[in-house]
Amino acid sequence: MITLALATFGWYVIYAARGVELEYNAIDTMATKTTTYETTRIALPQNDSPLYTPDLALFSLNNPWMYVSRTAPLPKTYQPTDLVDVTLPHAASDQPIKLQSRTNAKLTELFAAAEQDGRSLMVASAYRSIEDQQKLYDDFVEKRGETAARQYVALPGTSEHHSGLAVDIDDASNACRQDSDKCELSYQSIAWIAEHAPEYGFIVRFPETKQPVTGTAYEPWHLRYVGVVLARQLTDSGLAFDEFIDQVAPGRNNREQE
């Protein structure tokens, strides 16, 4: 057994023997059964339970830990698999709102839990094609300028919304149903989401104070599905998804290296 200390965050990555029983709450088939591959066990700060990665396929396109960012754009031909129509309340849209099926299922559970706690939510934005992102970017530039656009809107090909694993949520309102530009998220809902989203496998993808890491302004409404175990551990550790990728699968932070 080989142990490698990652001093930056005090992590320890332990390469365990084959046949380790994975301790996941179903991300997908790869992460719910004993793997036949060499397994990596990761201990994140402030977490007692280890995190297992069965193989690097979890970081590949269409898988729950796929990485999309300004430095890791998607191929121009990329199309997410397993997209389904979202039947949850959503903002005004001239086309169906879609997410990958596993993301949609967990988001449905999240919305039900919020409703039980007296918080009515709706989907403001979900899957976007690269063409949709281009139009969004161009419209933002026209309204607020290039500098603001680069801070708040991802360039086409670099948005997590292309993956079908990311969703923007807001408080339910008639105004939002009629005009997506009028969607809002209250401070109370922001606090509820930050606390409960990890229970359903979602992280706040662009946390407060992490702009130097993510390159994106704080977006409490933008959730990314990564599975329950990783979502809880990243939230408890205070780490952005980018920091996790940099330490565990550094080659994934630049799509050209795949």
Side-chain angles (χ1 to χ4, degrees):
M1 182 176 292
I2 302 173
T3 302
L4 173 63
L6 300 176
T8 304
F9 297 108
W11 295 10
Y12 295 92
V13 178
I14 304 169
Y15 292 94
R18 293 186 178 190
V20 173
E21 188 68 29
L22 302 179
E23 298 177 0
Y24 274 97
N25 294 335
I27 294 177
D28 61 13
T29 303
M30 288 183 294
T32 58
K33 63 181 181 180
T34 302
T35 181
T36 57
Y37 301 95
E38 184 177 74
T39 300
T40 302
R41 186 174 68 184
I42 308 160
L44 278 68
Q46 304 180 50
N47 286 281
D48 295 329
S49 300
L51 175 71
Y52 292 102
T53 61
D55 61 63
L56 288 179
L58 275 174
F59 298 93
S60 300
L61 296 180
N62 287 316
N63 282 294
W65 294 352
M66 67 177 287
Y67 183 62
V68 186
S69 74
R70 297 169 191 267
T71 61
L74 291 167
K76 293 182 179 179
T77 57
Y78 173 76
Q79 177 67 26
T81 59
D82 198 25
L83 286 177
V84 299
D85 289 344
V86 175
T87 58
L88 295 167
H90 59 77
S93 176
D94 57 0
Q95 54 188 316
I97 303 292
K98 295 180 179 290
L99 285 170
Q100 286 200 31
S101 62
R102 59 178 167 252
T103 308
N104 181 57
K106 299 304 289 185
L107 186 67
T108 300
E109 294 179 19
L110 173 66
F111 272 43
E115 194 71 36
Q116 287 184 345
D117 285 349
R119 309 231 62 84
S120 295
L121 303 175
M122 64 193 313
V123 176
S125 183
Y127 164 72
R128 299 184 204 131
S129 68
I130 292 180
E131 292 75 19
D132 291 337
Q133 189 71 20
Q134 184 68 63
K135 183 178 185 305
L136 180 67
Y137 185 85
D138 292 343
D139 288 347
F140 203 96
V141 169
E142 184 176 346
K143 292 177 182 177
R144 298 185 57 183
E146 184 80 25
T147 300
R150 287 186 174 271
Q151 184 176 13
Y152 289 99
V153 183
L155 290 168
T158 70
S159 172
E160 284 198 324
H161 285 286
H162 300 325
S163 70
L165 295 166
V167 59
D168 292 345
I169 60 178
D170 287 295
D171 290 316
S173 69
N174 288 330
C176 187
R177 289 185 183 90
Q178 297 170 8
D179 185 348
S180 59
D181 288 338
K182 296 182 179 180
C183 295
E184 296 181 345
L185 189 64
S186 68
Y187 289 116
Q188 293 84 354
S189 292
I190 288 172
W192 189 94
I193 290 165
E195 179 179 357
H196 295 287
E199 299 169 12
Y200 302 92
F202 293 93
I203 57 172
V204 176
R205 178 63 181 86
F206 304 113
E208 195 169 13
T209 75
K210 292 291 184 177
Q211 184 172 349
V213 175
T214 65
T216 301
Y218 174 45
E219 294 188 358
W221 56 83
H222 181 99
L223 301 185
R224 163 65 193 273
Y225 180 74
V226 295
V228 173
V229 173
L230 181 57
R232 284 174 169 166
Q233 293 214 7
L234 287 181
T235 301
D236 290 345
S237 300
L239 299 175
F241 188 55
D242 310 78
E243 293 169 318
F244 173 73
I245 293 293
D246 284 345
Q247 296 300 319
V248 179
R252 301 287 156 162
N253 60 13
N254 188 324
R255 190 70 60 197
E256 294 179 354
Q257 296 182 32
E258 288 194 1

